[in-house]
Amino acid sequence: MSNRAFYSAPLEQFLVADALSISGEISAAHTQQLQHQQSRAWGAEIDILKRELKLCGTDNAHIFFEFMIPRMGRRADVVLVVKGVIFVIEFKVGAQQINHADLRQAHGYALDLKNFHSGSHDKFIVPILIATNLAKPTSQQALFKLDFAFDNVASPIAIHSGQILNAINQITTFLKQVEFDANQWAASGYLPTPTIIEAAQALYAQHNVEDIAKSEADTQNIGQTSQQLLQLIHDARERKRKVICFVTGVPGAGKTLVGLNIASTHSNPKEKEYSVFLSGNGPLVAVLQEALARDRKVRTADTLASCRRQTEQFIQNIHKFRDGSLSGAVPPEQVAIFDEAQRAWNKEQTSKFMQTKRNQIGFNKSEPEYLIEVMDRHEDWAVIIALVGGGQEINTGEVGLLGWLNALDEKFSHWDAYYSADLLNGEYVASNLTASHLSKGTILPCLHLATSMRSFRAEKLSSFIHYLIEGNSVLARKLFATFSHLYPIKVTRDLDSAKKWIKSQSRATESIGMLASSNAIRLKAEGIFVKNKIEPKDWFLGQPEDIRSSHFLEDIATEFDVQGLELDWCLVAWDADFRFKSKGKEHWRFRGSKWEKRQQEQTQIYLENAYRVLLTRARQGMVIFVPSGDDSDKTRLSEFYDDTFDFLQRCGITVV
C-alpha cells in the first residue's frame, strides 16, 4: 500500500495477484467500519479490471485503488497510469444509467488532482465513469472523442465496463505522451486549498488542518498559526491568565479556517479548554451549520435533527451568545473565537439595540467591551481569539479593530494581548490605528496570514482589488498582468454574454453565482433584484439542478450574503452606486426614486468595502457586468456607467 492509496501495484502484478488478497489489502487500510456492500463493490471492480485489462500493455503501467484526492480526504475508486496518461476511474457498481452528479464527481476528482497535486500539473488527465450495468453498446469499437480544457483535463466520458480497454488504447495512442514513474508521481506533494465549507467539514471529521490547507504561495502556514494559538490557550489555563489574540490577514488567507480549527479541536463541552466559534455573519453561520450537519449525517447513523443540534454547539451566532449572557451567568466556554471581530458594533449601535430590543435599560457599552466583560466573568482563566479582516466593515455601526483595543485599554488592562506588527498595515486594517495602541501587547509574527488561499490561482488578487477600489488603474494593471493568465477576469455590457461566459468556465462541481451590491437598486431594469432575499443554505449548498441554488444565476447575493464565503466563479453586476469618473471615485446611494451622493466618509468606506467583498469572492475567476444604461431613464443614464466600464479596461480587464 502506498501512502496515497489503499492498494498500489504495477499493472502486471495486479493482473496475476489473487483477487481476495487485493480486496483484503484494501479493506485493511480502510479506517471506517466497512459495510458488506462496500466490500462487494471492491470485489466487482477488481474482477472487471482484471478481465478487461489483461490485454493492456503493462510496461510501466500502474494501478491505484482508493487513491487519495486533495482537499478533503476524498478517494477516487481507481487511478490508472498508462503510457504517460492519468485515468481517474469512478465505478458505480450496479448502476444501469448515467447520472450527471456521478459525472461531476469523476470530473471533480480529475480537476482536484490537476490543481492541487503537484505531480499532476503538467499531465493529461482523463476522468472515466463506469456504470457496470449500463446496456452494452452494439459495437465495442466506439470512437472516444475527448474534449480537453486549457489545463489538459478532459471532460468526463461514461462507458460500459466492456469498453475500458478500447478507451484506454485509443486515448493513449492519440495523446502519445512520454511515460513517467507512477510511484514518484503519486508521492509528489499535495497543495490543497479548500473552500471554507469543505475545510469546516474536514476539520469536523478530524482531519489535520495542515493537510487540508497548504498553498504553493504560502509564506506562512496556517498550521503554525493554529499551533501558536493552541499553545497560548494551554498556557493561559496552566498559568491562570486571561488572554486575547488578534489574528489578522488578507481576504481569503484562512483566518476563519484557523478559528474553526481551534473550535473543532476543543469542541466537547466536557473539555477543560472548551471552545466555541462565534460569528455575527448570519449567512456564514447558517451555511456552515447546515453543511456540517449534512456531512455528519452521511458519516454517522444520527438523524439530521440530531446532527444540527451538534453543529449548533460548535458554531454559534454571536448575537445568540451575547443575548444568552445577559443574565450575568458565566459562559460554559473558556475560549471564545470571534470571527470578523472588526464588524462588532460600536457603543451607540449596541446601546440602542440592547435598550430598545432587549429591554436593557441604561446599557452603555460597545459590543467588544461587553463581549470581553462576559469572558472576564471566568475567575481563573479565559481566552478570546479575535479574527480580524481588513477592509471588510460594510454596515452602519461597525466599530472596527479600534473598539477592541480601546476596551482593553480602558477596562480590561489585566488581559494580555497578542498580535502581529501587521495590525498597523493600512491596506488591510483601518488606518486610524497607531503604534501607541500596540504598546502594551506582545508581538507574534505568525498571527498575521499574508497569503490568500481563496484564489489559489492568484494569490495577488486581494492586492489587485485594493488598487482597483482605490482607483489606481496603473498599479492595478501592472499587478493583474502577473496573474491574468491563471485567473481570468472579464468585463461586458451584456448580461447574457456574462452568464454564458461564466457557465462555460465552470466544470464538474465548481460553483458559480451572481453577486451585486445591496444598494444596486437600478439593476432591477436588467432583471437583477437585489431586494429579493435568498436562503443562504439553499443558494450555497443546493445542487446545480436546484433552481434556488447559485448555479441558476437567477437569485442574486449581496455583500451581506457572501461575506466570509466563496464561489469558484462569480458574475459581479456593477451598478451606478460606485462610479469611477475622470476626476476620481464617486459614491452614491439610491433612495426613493433617485440617486443621492454619499457625503459622509464612513458611508463611502462601507460602499467601497461592499465592492471589495464582492470582488474577492471568486476562487478561480470572474466576469463583471456593467450595464449600458438608458438615456431615457434619468436613474440609468449611460454616463453613470460608461466611465466605470472604461476604468475597468484600463485596469487590464478585457471584454468578453
Side-chain angles (χ1 to χ4, degrees):
M1 182 189 79
S2 78
N3 61 349
R4 296 293 191 218
F6 288 172
Y7 174 87
S8 167
L11 185 58
E12 59 182 354
Q13 181 179 316
F14 163 77
L15 292 174
V16 299
D18 179 70
L20 286 177
S21 68
I22 297 172
S23 182
E25 188 172 337
I26 298 171
S27 299
H30 201 281
T31 56
Q32 297 179 2
Q33 183 178 358
L34 284 176
Q35 296 181 353
H36 182 60
Q37 183 180 4
Q38 177 64 73
S39 298
R40 289 183 61 189
W42 284 329
E45 294 167 14
I46 293 167
D47 290 343
I48 289 170
L49 291 171
K50 276 179 164 289
R51 180 181 69 244
E52 298 301 325
L53 296 177
K54 61 185 176 182
L55 297 179
C56 181
T58 57
D59 290 346
N60 295 320
H62 205 99
I63 191 168
F64 303 86
F65 278 82
E66 296 294 318
F67 189 89
M68 182 180 284
I69 299 294
R71 291 218 279 183
M72 251 184 59
R74 301 184 181 103
R75 291 186 179 270
D77 289 340
V78 173
V79 170
L80 188 64
V81 177
V82 181
K83 296 180 179 178
V85 180
I86 301 166
F87 295 91
V88 179
I89 303 175
E90 184 67 18
F91 280 91
K92 296 302 172 185
V93 176
Q96 298 179 339
Q97 58 188 11
I98 301 302
N99 184 301
H100 286 294
D102 296 335
L103 279 171
R104 289 195 296 268
Q105 180 183 11
H107 199 185
Y109 287 161
L111 290 170
D112 279 355
L113 268 182
K114 170 62 68 170
N115 291 325
F116 308 120
H117 180 233
S118 59
S120 300
H121 290 344
D122 60 346
K123 303 293 190 293
F124 279 83
I125 304 179
V126 180
I128 297 177
L129 176 66
I130 298 176
T132 60
N133 286 14
L134 192 67
K136 283 190 175 184
T138 55
S139 171
Q140 302 287 28
Q141 301 301 316
L143 182 62
F144 299 98
K145 295 181 179 179
L146 294 183
D147 179 19
F148 282 97
F150 71 97
D151 56 3
N152 294 330
V153 175
S155 295
I157 59 173
I159 63 175
H160 182 272
S161 57
Q163 297 177 294
I164 297 175
L165 181 61
N166 188 33
I168 289 173
N169 285 340
Q170 277 192 34
I171 293 166
T172 55
T173 300
F174 172 75
L175 291 176
K176 295 184 175 64
Q177 291 299 292
V178 176
E179 295 184 1
F180 57 87
D181 186 293
N183 283 318
Q184 288 183 4
W185 163 80
S188 62
Y190 276 171
L191 303 165
T193 56
T195 67
I196 192 61
I197 294 171
E198 291 171 328
Q201 289 171 327
L203 291 170
Y204 199 51
Q206 299 183 328
H207 287 274
N208 191 313
V209 68
E210 294 183 318
D211 292 335
I212 62 172
K214 296 177 182 176
S215 167
E216 287 177 326
D218 269 352
T219 55
Q220 173 65 59
N221 190 323
I222 67 170
Q224 291 178 290
T225 304
S226 294
Q227 286 303 315
Q228 178 69 77
L229 291 169
L230 288 169
Q231 181 58 46
L232 288 170
I233 291 169
H234 184 70
D235 183 67
R237 180 170 69 85
E238 290 289 313
R239 297 174 58 190
K240 308 300 181 187
R241 302 164 60 221
K242 292 181 178 177
V243 168
I244 183 167
C245 304
F246 295 96
V247 179
T248 54
V250 301
K255 298 180 296 294
T256 300
L257 179 55
V258 167
L260 289 170
N261 182 48
I262 302 298
S264 64
T265 302
H266 298 299
S267 61
N268 189 332
K270 297 180 181 179
E271 287 190 61
K272 293 180 179 178
E273 297 175 7
Y274 176 40
S275 307
V276 63
F277 181 89
L278 300 166
S279 175
N281 184 335
L284 175 69
V285 171
V287 170
L288 289 180
Q289 285 179 341
E290 183 67 14
L292 293 181
R294 294 181 187 182
D295 187 58
R296 181 181 177 87
K297 184 179 184 299
V298 171
R299 294 184 291 104
T300 68
D302 296 346
T303 65
L304 185 57
S306 173
C307 292
R308 283 171 175 157
R309 285 194 295 271
Q310 293 279 341
T311 60
E312 286 169 6
Q313 292 180 353
F314 169 50
I315 297 173
Q316 295 181 25
N317 192 300
I318 194 171
H319 303 307
K320 179 181 177 182
F321 176 85
R322 178 198 64 199
D323 294 349
S325 304
L326 290 175
S327 64
V330 178
E333 303 88 0
Q334 299 273 169
V335 181
I337 300 136
F338 295 119
D339 193 32
E340 297 175 359
Q342 78 284 352
R343 296 188 63 192
W345 288 347
N346 60 26
K347 182 182 292 186
E348 292 74 23
Q349 184 83 358
T350 309
S351 300
K352 179 181 178 182
F353 178 87
M354 298 297 273
Q355 292 182 40
T356 59
K357 302 294 185 181
R358 295 295 182 266
N359 198 31
Q360 298 295 305
I361 306 303
F363 192 99
N364 190 33
K365 302 167 186 172
S366 69
E367 197 167 29
E369 180 184 341
Y370 177 67
L371 293 172
I372 298 174
E373 177 191 294
V374 170
M375 293 303 293
D376 196 50
R377 294 172 189 170
H378 288 284
E379 290 186 5
D380 47 1
W381 70 279
V383 174
I384 290 174
I385 297 173
L387 308 176
V388 181
Q392 300 284 299
E393 299 90 345
I394 59 176
N395 216 345
T396 302
E398 292 179 358
V399 69
L401 181 58
L402 196 57
W404 292 87
L405 297 178
N406 284 341
L408 288 170
D409 187 50
E410 296 169 8
K411 300 288 181 66
F412 303 99
S413 58
H414 58 288
W415 280 64
D416 296 326
Y418 293 86
Y419 29 64
S420 83
D422 290 276
L423 207 64
L424 295 175
N425 190 328
E427 182 176 339
Y428 306 123
V429 181
S431 57
N432 55 355
L433 297 180
T434 65
S436 62
H437 291 108
L438 310 186
S439 59
K440 297 180 182 178
T442 301
I443 293 179
L444 294 174
C446 68
L447 296 186
H448 179 74
L449 298 168
T451 302
S452 175
M453 293 192 309
R454 176 177 295 128
S455 308
F456 60 88
R457 294 187 184 277
E459 65 274 11
K460 295 180 180 177
L461 176 68
S462 60
S463 294
F464 165 72
I465 296 302
H466 168 73
Y467 291 129
L468 188 153
I469 295 293
E470 289 300 307
N472 191 331
S473 61
V474 175
L475 287 180
R477 186 184 189 94
K478 184 177 180 180
L479 198 56
F480 184 45
T482 66
F483 66 85
S484 58
H485 61 294
L486 297 172
Y487 185 100
I489 304 177
K490 302 292 183 181
V491 66
T492 181
R493 312 300 295 268
D494 183 77
L495 184 57
D496 286 337
S497 295
K499 290 183 177 181
K500 288 178 182 177
W501 184 85
I502 197 173
K503 288 178 180 178
S504 72
Q505 300 301 307
S506 173
R507 294 178 289 173
T509 55
E510 292 174 354
S511 55
I512 63 175
M514 185 160 53
L515 316 178
S517 157
S518 58
N519 197 236
I521 307 300
R522 293 311 296 136
L523 290 177
K524 183 177 181 180
E526 307 288 343
I528 297 173
F529 303 96
V530 297
K531 290 300 182 183
N532 287 358
K533 297 298 181 184
I534 65 168
E535 174 49 65
K537 291 184 290 187
D538 296 328
W539 199 82
F540 279 101
L541 302 177
Q543 294 299 309
E545 298 82 10
D546 188 338
I547 63 170
R548 301 167 298 176
S549 76
S550 65
H551 298 273
F552 257 68
L553 300 179
E554 290 183 357
D555 291 330
I556 196 83
T558 71
E559 67 273 19
F560 299 113
D561 300 312
V562 299
Q563 188 172 42
L565 292 160
E566 62 228 330
L567 298 166
D568 285 300
W569 300 90
C570 290
L571 190 169
V572 179
W574 199 301
D575 202 6
D577 51 344
F578 188 35
R579 310 173 193 176
F580 290 100
K581 311 294 284 186
S582 59
K583 58 187 177 182
K585 299 176 290 184
E586 292 186 356
H587 308 75
W588 295 80
R589 175 187 285 110
F590 196 83
R591 180 172 289 168
S593 61
K594 63 180 181 180
W595 291 104
E596 297 178 352
K597 265 204 169 182
R598 296 179 184 235
Q599 303 294 348
Q600 295 183 355
E601 181 182 4
Q602 191 61 55
T603 63
Q604 293 176 2
I605 291 173
Y606 290 150
L607 179 63
E608 291 185 13
N609 287 345
Y611 274 85
R612 194 186 313 275
V613 168
L614 297 173
L615 294 168
T616 55
R617 294 308 95 190
R619 289 162 53 83
Q620 300 200 49
M622 64 180 142
V623 58
I624 301 172
F625 164 61
V626 181
S628 296
D630 182 354
D631 286 338
S632 67
D633 180 351
K634 63 181 181 180
T635 67
R636 295 193 303 122
L637 298 177
S638 58
E639 66 182 74
F640 294 171
Y641 303 94
D642 289 347
D643 288 346
T644 298
F645 180 70
D646 293 340
F647 170 78
L648 293 174
Q649 291 182 82
R650 291 200 301 276
C651 290
I653 302 173
T654 56
V655 178
V656 173

